[in-house]
Amino acid sequence: MRDVTNRVPQHIAMIMDGNGRWARQQGKPRLAGHEAGSETVRQVMGYCRKAGVRYLTLYAFSTENWSRPPEEVAGLMQLLTVFISKYEAELIEKQVRLRVIGNRADLSLSLQKELARVEQSTQHFEQQVIIALSYSGRNELVRAVRKIASAVRSGSCEPEAIDEALIATSLDAPDVPDPDLIIRTSGEFRLSNFLLWQCAYSEFYFTPVLWPDFGEADFKTALEAYAARERRYGGVKKEDFV
Ligand code: IPE
Ligand code: IPE
Ligand code: MG
């Protein structure tokens, strides 16, 4: 028998991929794909609320995405700035806390300020949307290692005290549980440097649907697939215990 209490993931992380291909299919510029993708973000937040998913992490811009043409990078940053200020009221109305993970020092000062402001105005809400911006799993780990190394150097941490819990609490959102389910759209089967530490026991779901086309039926199918999985964490089922 499946464990019914485990059926709705507490934390879903999404690799929102395929905006560029969607735009090409429509004969539009890539930025039109990103714009359509930002509407999907809004919709997906609603599906999570309805389903009772407490944490939603969205991979919006990777450290590697800075290598894209400057016009696309500028367009994406602009879109983000508009998205944040446009939806602040909606986040407050729906009681959603916005958080950012990633190397925010890479972002423009005005975007950093805007993000900090909305993070603050929504900080008391329980349901959370975590946006990964200028994020990569390796970069997050490098920054965590630096924090720990400086604590060791200052004498406030013994090397022997470094354990998995200390590493986990040195990451960008230390209180957020590991993702139960990671969804990637657009038919690519890779992590692209997302949540490398946190994904140790995540379940993965890949769909060929391009991000701007990802709708409620696709979301439900992903949740059903998750509910049918058996998570063993390296152990064995009770009935197989000898
Ligand atoms: C995902 O869509 C959004 C970002 C990475 C910012 P892409 O822009 O990667 O779309 P494809 O993969 O080129 O179709
Ligand atoms: C991953 O998508 C990053 C985001 C969704 C923000 P990419 O399109 O950048 O990944 P690759 O290059 O296909 O691995
Ligand atoms: Mg892509």
Side-chain angles (χ1 to χ4, degrees):
M1 280 292 281
R2 246 184 269 128
D3 178 7
V4 275
T5 59
N6 203 25
R7 296 187 96 182
V8 175
Q10 182 187 25
H11 181 179
I12 299 182
M14 296 207 174
I15 303 173
M16 314 185 284
D17 199 14
N19 293 350
R21 277 162 284 172
W22 182 90
R24 193 175 341 115
Q25 277 180 2
Q26 314 269 320
K28 291 178 179 164
R30 289 180 61 83
L31 266 176
H34 297 313
E35 232 174 279
S38 70
E39 181 50 32
T40 307
V41 168
R42 251 188 92 213
Q43 300 298 331
V44 167
M45 287 180 189
Y47 310 150
C48 284
R49 245 161 63 89
K50 258 187 16 198
V53 175
R54 183 161 169 203
Y55 303 91
L56 170 66
T57 299
L58 298 167
Y59 204 3
F61 193 88
S62 72
T63 51
E64 288 81 13
N65 289 148
W66 291 110
S67 69
R68 292 190 178 198
E71 306 74 46
E72 182 172 349
V73 171
L76 273 164
M77 292 299 145
Q78 172 67 16
L79 202 64
L80 251 155
T81 312
V82 170
F83 185 87
I84 301 294
S85 52
K86 201 163 148 196
Y87 293 116
E88 182 183 11
E90 192 169 325
L91 290 169
I92 293 171
E93 185 204 315
K94 302 210 162 127
Q95 310 213 320
V96 177
R97 175 175 176 187
L98 182 95
R99 298 173 76 168
V100 175
I101 57 171
N103 195 18
R104 38 177 103 211
D106 290 343
L107 306 171
S108 73
L109 277 180
S110 59
L111 182 54
Q112 285 185 47
K113 268 195 193 155
E114 187 66 2
L115 290 167
R117 197 176 57 72
V118 181
E119 282 182 308
Q120 211 186 345
S121 65
T122 60
Q123 66 181 328
H124 302 299
F125 300 134
E126 275 209 2
Q127 201 209 337
Q128 303 193 12
V129 171
I130 300 135
I131 303 194
L133 262 185
S134 195
Y135 176 89
S136 74
R138 286 188 176 179
N139 176 267
E140 183 184 35
L141 281 163
V142 165
R143 288 182 290 102
V145 169
R146 284 189 187 152
K147 281 182 221 166
I148 295 169
S150 62
V152 170
R153 186 174 54 190
S154 72
S156 62
C157 174
E158 292 298 322
E160 295 72 27
I162 301 171
D163 57 9
E164 290 189 12
L166 180 66
I167 294 173
T169 53
S170 305
L171 299 174
D172 290 345
D175 53 303
V176 174
D178 291 343
D180 300 295
L181 175 64
I182 297 183
I183 299 175
R184 182 169 190 149
T185 56
S186 89
E188 309 291 355
F189 298 95
R190 55 178 172 267
L191 267 178
S192 303
N193 218 343
F194 194 38
L195 302 177
L196 296 182
W197 175 271
Q198 299 89 331
C199 75
Y201 268 103
S202 300
E203 296 293 329
F204 289 87
Y205 181 83
F206 297 97
T207 169
V209 174
L210 303 175
W211 178 252
D213 290 330
F214 187 83
E216 190 159 20
D218 303 304
F219 181 79
K220 283 189 174 154
T221 308
L223 254 58
E224 279 161 18
Y226 172 81
R229 306 268 178 95
E230 190 196 329
R231 303 183 76 186
R232 286 190 291 277
Y233 299 98
V236 291
K237 285 189 278 183
K238 250 198 201 123
E239 54 267 40
D240 291 336
F241 214 92
V242 283

